[in-house]
Amino acid sequence: MIFLTVPTAGQRPQTLEELIQASGLPRDQVILISTSPNAGLPKSCVVVNDHGPINIQRWWTVGIEEAVARGATAVAVSNDDVALDSETLTLLYTQMQATGATIAAPARDNKRRGLHRGRLVPYSPVMWGSLWMMNPHHGLLPDTRYQWWYGDNDLDIRARKQHAGVVSVDVVFEHRNAGESTGESVELQELARQDRELFEDQYGQLIWMTDRWNAIRHYFSNLSLSFSTSSTKTE
């Protein structure tokens, strides 16, 4: 049984309502994490209040655990400004089940479709933080040390390295206001800075290895281009 959980302060009522309707889920399978005491939220959904300090990882975890308590076998996690269609969650669920992946996510343009597991170097994320689905019975949960950014990268790495991977799926998906809240808030920018420091401390070796891999690839790419140009001139 698929559940959807969405942390929201109630500031985007139209896009939130559109998201809920497009999901195709019964409203008792939609769990809204109210992050503000003044949030006016859609009716008939399950509402859980969490008005503590800003921590999107905690909000995700609260929603996931509430969904599991209500019988969820899969939990989709979304921002309140995401657009999808009636097949998006079904396709994510189908591919997650078919591959046995821990997480399913909309495909990125620069990533192959299918299961990503094991290899991390050179690292770039497969999943998006704004929409993803997980099998909550694989033992993976967000790390609440991350407060705003980089927690999705941490989940992506742990799912691929320690669990059953991330499956990349072609689905209808749009994050309408990507980066907007952070760009307008000094407080969120400071949380993002702290999260970046934690991520660099936790995954410093992976970052270093990725930088080295990219530098070597760049060197040989330039060498090949130089050789090709030189050969053309001598012909």
Side-chain angles (χ1 to χ4, degrees):
M1 184 161 50
I2 301 172
F3 276 67
L4 169 66
T5 185
V6 185
T8 180
Q11 296 173 339
R12 299 183 177 116
Q14 182 175 344
T15 57
L16 177 58
E17 180 61 35
E18 290 172 357
L19 168 65
I20 294 168
Q21 291 187 21
S23 75
L25 296 175
R27 292 194 176 230
D28 61 0
Q29 290 171 225
V30 177
I31 298 173
L32 304 178
I33 308 303
S34 172
T35 66
S36 169
N38 302 315
L41 301 180
K43 296 180 179 180
S44 303
C45 299
V46 178
V47 176
V48 179
N49 293 321
D50 186 336
H51 303 153
I54 294 172
N55 188 315
I56 197 169
Q57 315 299 316
R58 187 184 72 248
W59 297 334
W60 286 350
T61 301
V62 168
I64 292 166
E65 291 179 341
E66 182 67 24
V68 170
R70 292 172 178 268
T73 56
V75 184
V77 179
S78 179
N79 285 20
D80 62 4
D81 59 345
V82 161
L84 43 76
D85 72 6
S86 60
E87 295 186 347
T88 300
L89 299 188
T90 300
L91 289 171
L92 290 175
Y93 178 75
T94 299
Q95 288 303 306
M96 189 171 71
Q97 291 295 100
T99 60
T102 297
I103 289 177
R108 292 176 178 266
D109 290 340
N110 66 336
K111 288 292 184 182
R112 63 172 176 80
R113 281 49 175 164
L115 184 64
H116 295 255
R117 185 179 185 186
R119 175 182 171 178
L120 291 173
V121 178
Y123 178 70
S124 64
V126 176
M127 66 176 279
W128 301 89
S130 52
L131 177 66
W132 49 282
M133 180 180 288
M134 75 180 311
N135 184 326
H137 302 295
H138 282 197
L140 178 66
L141 281 173
D143 185 342
T144 55
R145 291 179 300 168
Y146 292 96
Q147 302 163 90
W148 190 243
W149 275 7
Y150 292 93
D152 50 336
N153 295 68
D154 168 68
L155 276 171
D156 179 86
I157 291 169
R158 287 190 288 132
R160 292 162 62 182
K161 186 177 181 180
Q162 301 170 6
H163 295 271
V166 179
V167 63
S168 174
V169 188
D170 278 318
V171 294
V172 173
F173 155 75
E174 179 187 0
H175 187 190
R176 294 173 171 177
N177 303 295
E180 183 179 286
S181 296
T182 307
E184 296 175 351
S185 170
V186 173
E187 181 182 12
L188 294 181
Q189 291 169 22
E190 173 59 21
L191 293 180
R193 184 194 65 78
Q194 294 173 21
D195 289 343
R196 182 181 66 249
E197 289 184 353
L198 173 59
F199 184 80
E200 290 174 348
D201 181 63
Q202 187 173 4
Y203 295 109
Q205 184 178 17
L206 177 60
I207 295 169
W208 180 84
M209 292 175 67
T210 296
D211 288 344
R212 290 292 298 165
W213 192 94
N214 287 332
I216 292 169
R217 182 178 64 173
H218 182 69
Y219 170 79
F220 280 104
S221 176
N222 286 343
L223 188 65
S224 176
L225 179 62
S226 175
F227 179 77
S228 175
T229 302
S230 176
S231 297
T232 302
K233 287 180 179 180
T234 58
E235 290 178 357

